[in-house]
Amino acid sequence: MTVQGTCDPVFEQVAKEFERNLTDRGEVGASVCVIVDGETVVDLWGGEAAPGVPWLNDTIGHVWSCTKGATALCAHVLASRGELDLDAPVTAYWPEYGTRGKAGTLVRHLLAHQAGLPALRDPLPRGAFYDWKLMTERLAGEEPFWEPGTRHGYHALTFGFLVGEVVRRVSGRSLGTFFREEIAEPLGLDFWLGLPEEQEGRVAPTIPAEPPAELPSFYAKAFSDPASIPALLLGNDGGYMMTPGESDSRAAHAAEFGAVGGITNARGLAGMYRPLSIGGGELVGQGQLALMSPARSAGSVDAVLLVPSRFSLGFMKAVDNGHLPPADSEGALLTETAFGHAGMGGSVGFCDPPARLAFAYTMNRQGTGLGINPRGQALVDAAYRSTGHRQAPGGLWYRPL
């Protein structure tokens, strides 16, 4: 399959792995972008966006939970301006939220997946995720699954409504509007939370992963225990996850779905992290940037994913799950200083400020695990090798002294 774009010779390994993904690892269509010291050193794309349709320079696609990085960044922009206090109760901005044991929830708990609201108990109507008012009212009236702040569990589909409503209350603008006006447009990013209809023709439809031989623990629990959090998360979603093709519908693309609804390509995703990789730039001050990287929640078992996970205030941190059974072994092999987010099926965007690195990989054919898929990890590994990093036993990366 044809690969197009540009690659600095120093990063030739990234280009080789990208080509190998297409020829040997089942990639269908994808893009990868690497930015170092604020300059783009890799910008490649290739394969097919759809059968018989080449992946072009301006092809965009659904990046799933990579969207959470964009939503978290909106909150940090407001915090950097002094308009949002991450240590304040959520009720300081969203008074209706303080019901049924949630009065003590802090804004930081929403960002760190500690709020205890990864799902809703009562059935949601079809299309609920496209109705912001309905979702925020239901979440405000829900009882948490655990005392906020006492443990963490991945808020896979509710994160965007929880953090996004705080952004809306503080800024007076919808999440998608705030992201567009304060981040995407100033940075010139082809990145959308709420895709305009005229852009629809550029979207590469998602190709779901083939059913795995062994289910990850999250899915095994969801399909075996109807009362479990994983089952509620997947099954009580207004038809979004379990209806074939729904996530590629016009309604889904148009919604400002801040957990998993973002549409972009590697250039747009890496471009969002570019300012953060070089000190905060146009987005946040260095003091705020210092709050974005450290892990704030971590554990041997995520209350939702049922595998180890680690999060900073809104971003995924490196985690090595290679010691687990194969179905649960996919993680995020980065450095300890990196932060960003992976998306369902394996896409990823992150920055590593000490390395002055921003990276993104997007694709249309999903992998089966819960972290960065092997195709994306091969590109991450090549980028780190090209910048002089080394791999520790187990897989995490570090920069030698």
Side-chain angles (χ1 to χ4, degrees):
M1 295 186 183
T2 302
V3 173
Q4 299 183 68
T6 60
C7 180
D8 186 297
V10 173
F11 291 83
E12 182 182 6
Q13 293 181 68
V14 178
K16 288 183 176 179
E17 293 297 338
F18 188 72
E19 292 171 357
R20 201 166 291 141
N21 284 346
L22 287 162
T23 58
D24 301 342
R25 298 178 181 135
E27 193 80 89
V28 175
S31 61
V32 62
C33 183
V34 183
I35 302 172
V36 177
D37 281 325
E39 300 296 327
T40 300
V41 294
V42 178
D43 183 10
L44 298 173
W45 60 92
E48 289 188 330
V53 179
W55 189 294
L56 302 175
N57 173 52
D58 67 344
T59 297
I60 50 180
H62 189 184
V63 296
W64 295 86
S65 285
C66 294
T67 312
K68 292 181 176 69
T71 298
L73 182 54
C74 290
H76 283 284
V77 167
L78 289 169
S80 185
R81 296 173 181 174
E83 299 176 38
L84 174 62
D85 182 355
L86 302 185
D87 291 321
V90 174
T91 54
Y93 309 103
W94 183 2
E96 302 92 328
Y97 189 79
T99 65
R100 305 188 71 184
K102 302 194 300 298
T105 307
L106 306 181
V107 175
R108 66 169 50 247
H109 294 153
L110 304 184
L111 287 162
H113 298 269
Q114 297 173 333
L117 285 184
L120 289 161
R121 296 174 176 85
D122 293 335
L124 289 169
R126 185 167 183 82
F129 286 170
Y130 314 145
D131 187 334
W132 189 275
K133 185 174 183 291
L134 169 68
M135 287 301 301
T136 53
E137 287 180 350
R138 289 286 299 270
L139 287 165
E142 184 65 75
E143 179 181 355
F145 286 82
W146 61 82
E147 182 182 348
T150 62
R151 63 186 307 189
H152 84 282
Y154 188 45
H155 287 49
L157 302 177
T158 58
F159 179 93
F161 297 113
L162 294 169
V163 177
E165 180 65 4
V166 172
V167 169
R168 190 186 74 83
R169 297 283 179 126
V170 173
S171 71
R173 287 172 279 179
S174 72
L175 176 64
T177 300
F178 184 89
F179 177 76
R180 184 183 73 250
E181 294 180 349
E182 301 294 340
I183 298 172
E185 288 181 348
L187 296 179
L189 306 180
D190 190 5
F191 192 155
W192 307 90
L193 297 185
L195 185 75
E197 188 167 9
E198 61 268 22
Q199 306 294 336
E200 192 70 40
R202 298 192 292 123
V203 179
T206 299
I207 303 172
E210 294 292 328
E214 182 181 351
L215 288 174
S217 295
F218 167 79
Y219 291 108
K221 185 72 170 178
F223 298 143
S224 65
D225 183 357
S228 67
I229 294 176
L232 290 171
L233 190 158
L234 289 177
N236 189 23
D237 66 350
Y240 184 83
M241 294 291 291
M242 302 304 287
T243 303
E246 180 62 32
S247 65
D248 276 324
S249 68
R250 175 63 201 144
H253 289 173
E256 297 182 5
F257 193 6
V260 300
I263 296 178
T264 186
N265 51 30
R267 190 183 309 113
L269 186 54
M272 183 183 76
Y273 284 105
R274 175 191 172 276
L276 305 180
S277 72
I278 52 175
E282 311 94 312
L283 298 181
V284 300
Q286 291 189 22
Q288 191 67 34
L289 182 63
L291 299 177
M292 298 167 75
S293 176
R296 304 291 182 172
S297 56
S300 58
V301 178
D302 181 296
V304 177
L305 296 179
L306 306 180
V307 295
S309 68
R310 301 170 71 236
F311 297 96
S312 68
L313 292 178
F315 301 95
M316 181 180 288
K317 294 289 291 178
V319 61
D320 177 12
N321 288 336
H323 61 287
L324 297 176
D328 287 330
S329 63
E330 200 169 273
L333 304 182
L334 311 172
T335 69
E336 182 57 33
T337 54
F339 64 92
H341 223 289
M344 188 176 79
S347 55
V348 63
F350 69 90
C351 67
D352 194 335
R356 300 180 68 81
L357 169 72
F359 175 97
Y361 157 72
T362 72
M363 76 295 168
N364 53 7
R365 179 178 175 267
Q366 296 182 310
T368 58
L370 299 177
I372 305 172
N373 73 33
R375 289 166 276 145
Q377 189 65 58
L379 299 172
V380 171
D381 294 347
Y384 272 129
R385 282 195 300 269
S386 300
T387 52
H389 288 73
R390 295 180 184 174
Q391 207 162 16
L396 297 182
W397 289 91
Y398 69 98
R399 176 170 289 224
L401 299 175

